[in-house]
Amino acid sequence: MNRIAVSISRGIARVTDAALGPYQTAVIRIGFAATWLLFLLREFPHRQEMYGPDGPWKWDLAQRLVADNHAFTILMWSDSQVWFETVYALAVLSALLLLVGWRTRTMSVLFMVGVLSLQNRSIFMGDGGDNVIHLMAIYLVFTRCGQVWSLDARRARLAREARARGDLPRAGAQDRVGLVLWAALGLLLAAATGAGRLSPGWLMIFWGLWAVQALWWAVGRMARTAEPRILLDVIANAVHNAALLVIMAEACLIYATAGWYKIQGSRWQDGTAVYYPLHLDYFSPWPALSDLLASHGTIVMLVTYGTVAVQVAFPFTLINRRAKNVLLAAMMTEHAVIAVVLGLPFFSLAMIAADAVFLPTSFLRRLGGWAARARGRLFPPGARKLPGQRAQGPRTSEPAEGPHVGFTA
């Protein structure tokens, strides 16, 4: 019984002491924000036909559909062209700021609002990649995805350095931008609530997130002891780790269901399923390349059976690190090939971003080191040296960020 109690206590401590997978959640944040941002920029000339009030899927048709399925979209608040352009610009801006990790806690919520608003406005415009972004945008709200590789992490590091030097500004002047942003969003939320635009469920979610931010700020500025802040950290770590587990389970579920459904198809059973999309004009951006691949029956058969085998086997390989890494590399390569051969870049980017949750931490740390050295060569610190400031060498590794960075940002 003592051994069981010790094991349980260690498990609880591991889940609550720190936000696990800081590099994995950072890659997920960057990957999905970049995918959605590139999609919005790519479809900017066609935004009216896809999501506009006068598009093929008319505003009144979308309003009737939303009334039936109760999907969340702020585009249904008005059929004004100005409102549509405002929401589209909000989606682009929130994706960009989430990508660089500026106020990740707030931007993750606005990112979710932008994704749900556009996708639920015209549900027939999406594909499998859009569905993944749809789900991950919700999950990201509950993660502390700004612990590393973000402007929030940089701001936290500078604050620690200033605190160590003893020249940190007084508490009331530390985060005026965050306070103004919180107040502005509170006013907008109050206006939407007063106009009756939000359902009771979404009212609870948005006001709850807004209140949590206020509580976190108040505890950080006014608490006389460290216990309240420690308690909030424990809760935030538990929520983050639960959301990270859901993201991993979602990725496994996607591959498992896709693989088992393929097994039931006759074309996948006889090894010819890959042949047919190669001859569809919609999936042939490079007809010569598609014809070249389709002309080799052995390659078509191997790719068909290999796709099914990898998707079915991947969830079971998580118990073995080496097997998991091999299949993970195979799946990412497969998605890269799909992006080029079938012309589905955003679907492939979304799936690669979902796969990134399983990347080894050691690899991600090396990747961050390579990026830091490349940045140091392109932008030498000496070129940015201020008068009286000593030059510093480029950073080759990520700092050990405090567990509070992603939640408070």
Side-chain angles (χ1 to χ4, degrees), residues 3 10 20 27 37 45 126 192 202 211 252 269 273 299 318 324 405:
R3 287 196 297 269
R10 287 178 179 174
L20 303 177
V27 171
L37 176 63
W202 285 106
C252 291
Q269 293 175 5
I299 295 179
L318 297 181
K324 181 262 295 181
V405 173

Side-chain angles (χ1 to χ4, degrees), residues 176-199:
R176 293 177 179 173
V177 174
L179 187 60
V180 171
L181 185 61
W182 173 83
L185 292 177
L187 292 176
L188 293 176
L189 186 56
T193 303
R197 298 295 187 179
L198 295 173
S199 64

Side-chain angles (χ1 to χ4, degrees), residues 7 36 41 53 58 63 77 93 106 110 124 152 175 180 189 207 219 231 282 284 332 352 369 386 396 407:
S7 300
W36 182 241
L41 295 178
K58 297 295 185 180
Q63 192 175 37
W77 292 1
L93 182 61
T106 301
L110 296 180
F124 301 107
D152 290 339
D175 195 15
V180 171
L189 186 56
W207 279 116
V219 169
L231 176 60
Y282 186 77
S284 299
M332 288 186 169
I352 291 174
L386 300 176
T396 58
F407 195 85

Side-chain angles (χ1 to χ4, degrees), residues 137-220:
I138 299 175
Y139 301 152
L140 275 175
V141 173
F142 302 98
T143 64
R144 310 176 82 170
C145 54
Q147 297 179 91
V148 296
W149 299 344
S150 67
L151 295 180
D152 290 339
R154 178 179 179 274
R155 187 174 68 252
R157 175 177 58 81
L158 295 178
R160 288 195 303 272
E161 293 174 355
R163 195 177 295 113
R165 294 193 304 266
D167 57 356
L168 188 69
R170 59 188 178 86
Q174 285 182 20
D175 195 15
R176 293 177 179 173
V177 174
L179 187 60
V180 171
L181 185 61
W182 173 83
L185 292 177
L187 292 176
L188 293 176
L189 186 56
T193 303
R197 298 295 187 179
L198 295 173
S199 64
W202 285 106
L203 279 176
M204 292 179 60
I205 293 174
F206 288 131
W207 279 116
L209 293 172
W210 187 81
V212 166
Q213 287 293 88
L215 176 63
W216 201 280
W217 182 89
V219 169

Side-chain angles (χ1 to χ4, degrees), residues 17 21 23 33 156 191 261 305:
D17 281 352
Y23 293 93
Y261 272 114
Y305 287 145

